[in-house]
Amino acid sequence: MQYFKKKSLLVFIIALFIHTSLYSSVRLDIAIEKGEFWWFGVVNHGEIQPLQNGYKASLFANLYENQAQPLLLSNKGEVIWSEDPFEVAVANDTIYLMKKTGDFFHQKVATTLKGAYLYASKNFFPPSGQTPNELMFERPQYNTWIELLYNQNQEDVLKYANMILKNNFPPGVIMIDDNWQEDYGTWKFHSERFPNPTAMIDSLHNMGFKVMLWICPFVSPDSYVGRTLENKDLLLKTVTGTTKIVHWWNGFSSVLDLSNPEAINWFKSQLNFLQKEYGIDGFKFDAGDPEYYTDGVSFGSVNPNEQTELFNKIGLAYDFNEYRATWKTGGQALAQRLRDKGHNWKDLRTLIPNILLQGIMGYPYTCPDMIGGGEMGSFRDLNMVDQDLIVRSAQCHVFMPMMQFSVAPWRVLDEKHLKAVKHAVDLRLQHIDLITSLVEKSAFTGEPVVRYMEYEFPGCNYEKITDQFMLGDKLMVAPFLDKARNTRNVIVPAGKWRDDKGEIIVGPQTIEISSELERIPFYEKL
């Protein structure tokens, strides 16, 4: 029976290659050796890696709604890199790669995952020596999305900020999300909802906040701005020469053709105006996914993935920035957020594996999405809120590069759970020097801030561990990720470790620990 299953899978792979051979002429087949594990640069697939038989993905105009990198790494020191998007399929312990043109770089450069990554980082996406603004790491971020949704307005933004301070949370970055603007492409504060934006920004600054605005490359086609940009040929076109209209989550829009330098200049002029006129500190760059550029005709004849890369590079001019979708921007000073997570335990369990994968794809400045989830309908009915989930989500953020709130904990939590969240924030602040030092070092070494156990302890059969991680090379973290269990197992590597309770543990061994609500298990290597 197993033979027929394998044979059927092989037939499927062969059929897939015959089908795609009309479009793909470059192939590379890699036999997976015994004891060898591979990781591939689709961040939103972190929880199903290392790669297994049956895996399929294509990077052609598809980043799977998050960061991507045309890179594969193995725990045996092998590196595969492509300048162009390609397809991956895994069957019968073989990785099949194919693309339309160009070459694959494939070489054994080291003997470990760490060695492979450092080679790739140095040669294909070297660190820039810069980071996003340090405040994005030093203090929590607060996004207005969950509390205000599409009713972003001056009064409630100020109320949200005041409640942050009233509930003894530290000020940090506050992000005003979608619908603060007049229209998509008309990047001015809506005059009715924001009667005096300058006064609002001044107030937020006086409270100790830095302010970021949500922004995107879409343009409402029936607006004055849309017609003006169309007349200047700054929008993506169809093959017939008309302006292309794309369907995205907020309706139908035209999209900036960023292969035209004039389109980039126009977009930056809008952002610079917001900074100069109102004192805005930076921007949350949303959308920009390559699928919105498929079947479009661009000024510079670039492919959809390159449009995303051009959108990403705009953020380098602003040290307060955030991206959800990026392509080939490893080593750059861009804050990279995981895609929106739901208010459920399954999505919580994806945070660690996805951020771990970000790290070895060259994206160290990471944010694990909003605490408790960022999907818009999750918090309308307070009876559906899982208070334990919000606490465990906050705890998962503690030792990660960034920590971001959106739902107001004081609104949805009882006293016990709110206390546990505040404890998580306090614990992060106690370790902030370690976090920021790792961030600063990464700007020059390229090393991940959050690291796989396999990255730090090769040859110990840790390749599949994705529910605990290393912060740098000395601190191991093992958050609680399961509501149904009151204990969890922790893999302790060789050596002496001091745990969060001050007890000394000698590894290697597997220990079982209890899951008190306020407990955030971490282990310092002595």
Side-chain angles (χ1 to χ4, degrees), residues 379-390:
F379 301 97
R380 290 176 174 173
D381 182 358
L382 293 186
N383 292 321
M384 301 298 292
V385 172
D386 189 326
Q387 297 194 46
D388 287 351
L389 175 60
I390 294 176

Side-chain angles (χ1 to χ4, degrees), residues 30-39 50-51 53 74-78 92-95 108 111 454 459 461 463-464:
I30 306 294
I32 302 175
E33 303 296 332
K34 184 177 180 181
E36 186 174 31
F37 296 86
W38 285 85
W39 290 264
L51 297 179
N53 287 326
S74 90
N75 66 323
K76 301 300 183 181
E78 292 194 59
N92 296 331
D93 297 324
T94 301
I95 302 174
K108 182 177 175 65
T111 58
E454 172 65 19
N461 298 317
E463 299 92 353
K464 295 183 179 180

Side-chain angles (χ1 to χ4, degrees), residues 135-136 139-143 171-175 208-212 320:
L135 189 67
M136 298 190 73
R139 293 290 182 269
Q141 303 166 13
Y142 305 91
N143 186 291
V173 174
I174 191 164
M175 300 179 181
F209 293 97
K210 295 293 185 180
V211 185
M212 296 172 64
F320 285 97

Side-chain angles (χ1 to χ4, degrees), residues 395-426:
Q395 292 172 346
C396 206
H397 283 233
V398 166
F399 291 105
M400 290 184 173
M402 300 180 188
M403 179 184 222
Q404 186 175 119
F405 289 93
S406 190
V407 66
W410 52 87
R411 179 174 70 88
V412 299
L413 300 181
D414 60 27
E415 183 177 350
K416 178 180 72 171
H417 289 83
L418 181 59
K419 180 183 176 184
V421 169
K422 288 184 176 181
H423 172 68
V425 174
D426 290 342

Side-chain angles (χ1 to χ4, degrees), residues 200-211:
M200 177 188 70
I201 302 302
D202 288 345
S203 294
L204 293 171
H205 283 161
N206 289 335
M207 294 181 204
F209 293 97
K210 295 293 185 180
V211 185

Side-chain angles (χ1 to χ4, degrees), residues 73-147:
L73 301 171
S74 90
N75 66 323
K76 301 300 183 181
E78 292 194 59
V79 174
I80 299 173
W81 172 263
S82 168
E83 292 295 336
D84 316 296
F86 57 91
E87 295 181 60
V88 175
V90 185
N92 296 331
D93 297 324
T94 301
I95 302 174
Y96 300 92
L97 309 178
M98 52 191 169
K99 63 177 180 174
K100 300 173 184 177
T101 59
D103 299 320
F104 286 104
F105 171 91
H106 175 216
Q107 189 171 321
K108 182 177 175 65
V109 300
T111 58
T112 64
L113 173 63
K114 180 176 183 177
Y117 168 73
L118 291 177
Y119 178 93
S121 172
K122 178 180 179 180
N123 288 277
F124 302 121
F125 41 91
S128 67
Q130 303 293 321
T131 73
N133 191 283
E134 60 272 11
L135 189 67
M136 298 190 73
F137 308 95
E138 292 174 351
R139 293 290 182 269
Q141 303 166 13
Y142 305 91
N143 186 291
T144 62
W145 174 243
I146 291 297
E147 291 302 299

